[in-house]
Amino acid sequence: MVSGMVGKGTALGAALLAPLVALVPAQTVSAAPSTASTTVTRAASATPDLTALREALRSALALGAPGAMARVDDNGTVHKVTEGIGDRGTGRAMSADDRFRVGSVSKSFTSVVLLQLVDEGKLDLDAPVNTYLPGLLPDDRITVRHLLSHRSGLYDYTNDMFAATVPGFEAVRNRVFSNQELLDLSLAKPRTVQPGAAYSYSNTNFVVGGMLIEKLTGRSVATNFKKRIIKPLKLSSTFYVHPRTTIPGRHIKGYLRPDEAGAPLVDSTEQTVSWGQSAGAVISSAKDLNTFFSALNRGKVISEAQLSQMQQWTTVNSTQGYGLGLRRRDLSCGVSVYGHTGTVQGFYTFSFTSADGKRSVTSVANTSNNGSVLNTLPRTLEAVFCGAPVAKSARSTAPAEREDIAPDVVRD
């Protein structure tokens, strides 16, 4: 095993950014997002517990991940902790500086662009989607807000696409879908809930979100991400390259675990991610994601009014809420953190920031279809924001994590 390392330094480029003008299944219920704040105001611990952070990453390796890493940006101080292998072919060690596929963290990017369009008067969150894309959806009651809070009831087509893990992936690895093709896969199935009735996670919602972006701006999702988020925040390692299959520059390689016990891992690094697009195709780095979520939570990306909308929470389970393309996680020490999780074949990502945006962490394991590894990564949040490892008793009662692709398929 490659030995781990810890890096610590002073963050660069900490100047304030100018404001821009312009997996859980459906059984968790909440009739509507809460308009009352459920944010826990307790401050994060004085310092992150780097020993507990390393222990969490080592646990991910023990459970089958080739490598794992985390980067913490703590009010100008940077900590990097790495364990294991970033490239099994060359034996190169995991690096906290490398790029990777962020999966459903992409949903926060899509939501930000749509909320900027609300700020610009081009979009109404409570208007039916069919107002902007006439005849697209079979129910005029489905609003933009329902999409972004996973309350539309649109079936998640990835449940069928990836029910068989490796065969499903290989069938779409190099395929290029249109958004309409993906939506048609969803519409061929019954809706999961009535519009607005309950949280039911579905990648379909953010595919439609991408269609809205392109219709309202006349530009591609890639162009909007670059113009509205990537360039203003100077995210030098963030890309939306769909349908190209490669990750630009130095990157972590991702390894997909087959369904069959003992079968070898599959290098899943290169793919179009056309099955996900605006729901999951962003490439980034830990530094860039920490910058993004910190800026978002500090009101530097969307207006205060839209950030408030983004943070109206629908109940997911006893420790999580979902806003508009944003997750809230309530930790064992009474601290709430804000960001998103991501699953794409070969990569698990957790990227979250504190209420004031001053402390952020992105942790990554380069595997997927491994529920044990997935359920280990929340410990990185506990270590960084609570300053201590979560007790085993708390771990045993915590709701199980679900992957953000095929969220209704239970992975061992």
Side-chain angles (χ1 to χ4, degrees):
M1 180 184 296
V2 175
S3 60
M5 57 84 68
V6 177
K8 181 178 180 179
T10 301
L12 300 178
L16 291 178
L17 297 163
L20 301 179
V21 294
L23 268 131
V24 286
Q27 69 266 23
T28 53
V29 295
S30 178
S34 171
T35 56
S37 172
T38 54
T39 301
V40 178
T41 56
R42 179 175 170 179
S45 68
T47 58
D49 187 331
L50 300 183
T51 299
L53 180 58
R54 179 176 297 287
E55 289 175 353
L57 299 180
R58 286 178 172 170
S59 292
L61 266 63
L63 293 166
M69 66 85 166
R71 175 184 167 120
V72 182
D73 285 271
D74 187 14
N75 201 25
T77 299
V78 176
H79 305 279
K80 303 175 186 178
V81 184
T82 64
E83 291 286 337
I85 299 293
D87 184 335
R88 299 177 75 215
T90 64
R92 181 168 58 83
M94 177 66 78
S95 170
D97 297 321
D98 285 2
R99 297 162 182 171
F100 52 90
R101 298 192 184 279
V102 309
S104 286
V105 180
S106 307
K107 291 178 173 66
S108 297
F109 285 69
T110 296
S111 190
V112 161
V113 172
L114 289 170
L115 289 168
Q116 289 178 357
L117 292 173
V118 175
D119 276 332
E120 294 164 17
K122 298 176 182 176
L123 181 67
D124 181 344
L125 287 172
D126 295 308
V129 173
N130 285 348
T131 300
Y132 306 102
L133 295 165
L136 182 74
L137 301 182
D139 193 329
D140 286 338
R141 295 176 299 168
I142 298 175
T143 68
V144 178
R145 188 187 298 275
H146 292 153
L147 293 180
L148 301 185
S149 58
H150 291 298
R151 295 183 300 127
S152 70
L154 294 172
Y155 178 78
D156 191 336
Y157 58 86
T158 67
N159 287 316
D160 300 319
M161 190 176 283
F162 301 121
T165 301
V166 173
F169 169 65
E170 295 293 0
V172 301
R173 180 198 280 259
N174 295 305
R175 186 167 172 183
V176 179
F177 291 91
S178 69
N179 284 319
Q180 186 64 55
E181 286 176 313
L182 297 175
L183 178 59
D184 288 345
L185 292 174
S186 170
L187 296 181
K189 294 296 185 74
R191 278 170 285 161
T192 56
V193 296
Q194 291 298 307
Y199 174 91
S200 180
Y201 191 94
S202 175
N203 286 280
T204 308
N205 292 315
F206 282 80
V207 169
V208 178
M211 297 172 80
L212 281 169
I213 287 172
E214 294 185 344
K215 176 63 178 294
L216 294 172
T217 66
R219 298 184 177 92
S220 68
V221 167
T223 297
N224 276 283
F225 282 1
K226 185 174 182 179
K227 175 185 175 183
R228 293 170 174 273
I229 301 173
I230 295 170
K231 289 185 71 174
L233 295 181
K234 299 180 181 178
L235 306 181
S236 60
S237 289
T238 302
F239 307 90
Y240 185 84
V241 299
H242 172 266
R244 281 169 43 196
T245 60
T246 55
I247 301 176
R250 182 174 161 129
H251 58 272
I252 299 166
K253 287 200 169 183
Y255 298 96
L256 176 61
R257 191 180 78 163
D259 292 319
E260 301 79 18
L265 298 177
V266 173
D267 185 336
S268 52
T269 311
E270 294 193 1
Q271 62 159 308
T272 63
V273 200
S274 191
W275 59 265
Q277 299 194 39
S278 49
V282 169
I283 294 163
S284 193
S285 68
K287 177 183 178 181
D288 278 7
L289 291 186
N290 285 353
T291 298
F292 169 67
F293 280 116
S294 175
L296 175 61
N297 225 49
R298 291 159 58 209
K300 303 299 181 181
V301 180
I302 54 179
S303 69
E304 182 178 348
Q306 299 319 315
L307 182 59
S308 178
Q309 294 295 316
M310 199 177 199
Q311 295 181 347
Q312 289 190 20
W313 309 109
T314 299
T315 299
V316 174
N317 57 36
S318 61
T319 62
Q320 296 183 48
Y322 201 93
L324 303 182
L326 188 70
R327 290 191 183 276
R328 188 199 77 235
R329 296 184 70 104
D330 305 328
L331 305 182
S332 65
C333 59
V335 172
S336 290
V337 293
Y338 310 88
H340 215 288
T341 52
T343 301
V344 65
Q345 289 86 358
F347 299 93
Y348 286 140
T349 301
F350 276 59
S351 190
F352 287 84
T353 193
S354 57
D356 59 9
K358 292 182 178 180
R359 183 180 300 173
S360 304
V361 63
T362 294
S363 51
V364 176
N366 58 342
T367 192
S368 66
N369 190 32
N370 187 325
S372 297
V373 171
L374 180 61
N375 281 281
T376 294
L377 288 182
R379 292 167 54 188
T380 65
L381 305 183
E382 296 282 341
V384 169
F385 296 104
C386 295
V390 62
K392 288 184 179 180
S393 58
R395 281 187 232 164
S396 64
T397 58
E401 302 291 329
R402 292 290 182 91
E403 290 193 354
D404 290 329
I405 53 175
D408 291 344
V409 179
V410 179
R411 308 296 186 186
D412 294 332

